[in-house]
Amino acid sequence: MIRVLVADDQDLFRAGFTMILDAQADITVVGEAGDGAEAVRAATALRPDVVLMDVRMPGMGGIEATERICATTSAKVLVLTMFDLDEYVYDALRAGAGGFLLKDIRRDELAAAVRVVAAGESLLAPTVTRRLIEDLVLRPGHGVAPRLAARLAELTSREAETLRLVARGLSNAEIAGEMVVSEYTVKSHVSRILTKLGLRDRVQAVVFAYESGLIVAGGA
């Protein structure tokens, strides 16, 4: 059972998220919080698997709360916001969030996102992923960093192929289908990739794949 803490300063959003998630057979909401400070206290006391975190809240905001929760607990943080703004994406990822979605997602997408983040994978809204790559990788004057390209030699051919598929946005199950291997094998490849390259999560792996030249912007 995936234990979730819902943090949002608006009662209607908290109630809606709680209703949607509690309706899932494998998810239960163990607590709610109306601001960042309350979210930190609740995460410490309740030890949820996932914290559904709003960004704009009175007092301590969601970004600071995310940083504190990620630094002091094992909970994964899934950030949701009404605002599709770059600074929130970068700040949330730097704070340690495992996912970043907009509040206009469908209820089935919300439940699926919680499962993905609980499993230790990273998840970004498609529009967020596209703009993240465009800003960090496709900005004028950007070129392949030789230092990063050299680090690709540390990967085996199968690990490099796995990284390409991760950069294309495929899930572990989809990668397993593409490579005709088990999902367990894919997870092992991803884990070794992150360890060898010194990366925190799949989001950093995607950026590395572009910056190192493994994936060419606009290519397949």
Side-chain angles (χ1 to χ4, degrees):
M1 184 69 72
I2 301 172
R3 295 163 48 83
V4 177
L5 169 67
V6 178
D8 197 297
D9 65 326
Q10 297 189 42
D11 292 341
L12 287 178
F13 276 119
R14 287 204 311 273
F17 293 149
T18 297
M19 179 183 68
I20 291 169
L21 295 177
D22 269 341
Q24 307 300 310
D26 59 336
I27 300 174
T28 183
V29 175
V30 296
E32 298 181 12
D35 58 50
E38 188 178 354
V40 173
R41 290 193 297 270
T44 301
L46 300 174
R47 296 289 170 174
D49 301 303
V50 176
V51 178
L52 202 60
M53 182 74 74
D54 186 24
V55 172
R56 290 188 174 183
M57 293 185 288
M60 183 189 297
I63 302 301
E64 182 179 352
T66 294
E67 186 172 15
R68 295 193 183 191
I69 289 172
C70 290
T72 59
T73 78
S74 60
K76 309 294 193 305
V77 177
L78 175 58
V79 173
L80 284 97
T81 180
M82 294 288 290
F83 307 97
D84 187 11
L85 300 178
D86 290 345
E87 60 266 30
Y88 291 143
V89 179
Y90 305 142
D91 290 347
L93 296 178
R94 280 195 292 265
F100 191 103
L101 296 175
L102 304 182
K103 286 183 176 179
D104 61 357
I105 61 172
R106 301 192 309 268
R107 62 177 61 199
D108 58 321
E109 292 176 329
L110 176 62
V114 167
R115 295 185 183 101
V116 168
V117 173
E121 298 187 29
S122 299
L123 184 147
L124 292 176
T127 57
V128 173
T129 303
R130 183 172 61 253
R131 287 190 302 100
L132 181 68
I133 291 173
E134 287 175 351
D135 188 75
L136 294 182
V137 181
L138 307 183
R139 64 183 62 176
H142 175 84
V144 174
R147 178 179 57 83
L148 297 183
R151 289 170 60 189
L152 286 175
E154 301 176 29
L155 304 182
T156 66
S157 60
R158 296 296 273 177
E159 289 167 353
E161 179 61 21
T162 300
L163 180 55
R164 287 191 188 93
L165 297 175
V166 168
R168 284 172 46 194
L170 274 64
S171 67
N172 284 348
E174 291 168 334
I175 294 173
E178 287 272 346
M179 298 180 64
V180 194
V181 296
S182 70
E183 192 169 346
Y184 175 80
T185 298
V186 174
K187 290 180 179 179
S188 296
H189 285 333
V190 172
S191 178
R192 286 196 295 270
I193 289 167
L194 298 181
T195 299
K196 286 183 177 181
L197 299 179
L199 305 175
R200 186 185 65 208
D201 53 34
R202 293 169 78 99
V203 175
Q204 289 191 345
V206 170
V207 174
F208 178 92
Y210 279 87
E211 290 186 326
S212 66
L214 180 65
I215 293 289
V216 178

